[in-house]
Amino acid sequence: LWSPALATLVRHGIVLDLAGLQRADDGPALRLPRAAGWYADALDDLAVPALYAQVTRHLRALADGLRVKVAPRLLDGNSASALVEAARALSAADPAAREALTGLTTRLLDTGHLRGTGATTGPGLGFRRRSCCLYYRAPNGTKCGDCGLAGTGPR
């Protein structure tokens, strides 16, 4: 969900309007039947909160629909991690957008529920979470690269 929103803002200067976003009943596929949004500079004072609101509204709805309840701050950490990884992937695909993506991602990480979920650790959007997604507890799971528990035991 972060990738198309980031890319559209950085590459085209448009904050996507995700009000009509549809999710498949049988999987993770998303569909936006009508492209809509508004023009804004990627680092505009209104663009960051607008982008944050568009994406997190859908993430909250997704969390509310889970069969099991997950701690809200854990989900916030997952969202922050997904944001950073989306920005890193977009930067790799479009190195000319790296500076804008880094600035936008840094500002988003200091917005709303993403604030305090982790910290950037260096250039290239290195990131360390303050929470753990608990994937290491799944069969054959490991600690993620941005895990807050990294360095506290076997990976």
Side-chain angles (χ1 to χ4, degrees), residues 21-37:
L21 186 69
Q22 299 171 352
R23 187 169 40 112
D25 292 334
D26 60 348
L30 300 174
R31 178 176 175 265
L32 193 58
R34 179 180 67 74

Side-chain angles (χ1 to χ4, degrees), residues 35-116:
W38 55 94
Y39 286 102
D41 184 285
L43 296 179
D44 182 274
D45 286 339
L46 299 177
V48 171
L51 176 65
Y52 171 84
Q54 290 294 313
V55 172
T56 58
R57 174 178 40 165
H58 290 285
L59 293 176
R60 280 191 303 274
L62 179 64
D64 290 344
L66 293 174
R67 291 182 206 169
V68 296
K69 292 301 165 196
V70 179
R73 284 307 277 172
L74 176 62
L75 292 175
D76 294 339
N78 289 353
S79 180
S81 180
L83 164 63
V84 172
E85 287 304 314
R88 288 172 56 159
L90 291 167
S91 291
D94 183 3
R98 181 170 287 129
E99 185 177 335
L101 282 162
T102 299
L104 178 58
T105 302
T106 300
R107 290 196 50 201
L108 283 164
L109 287 171
D110 196 32
T111 303
H113 293 279
L114 298 179
R115 185 177 294 121

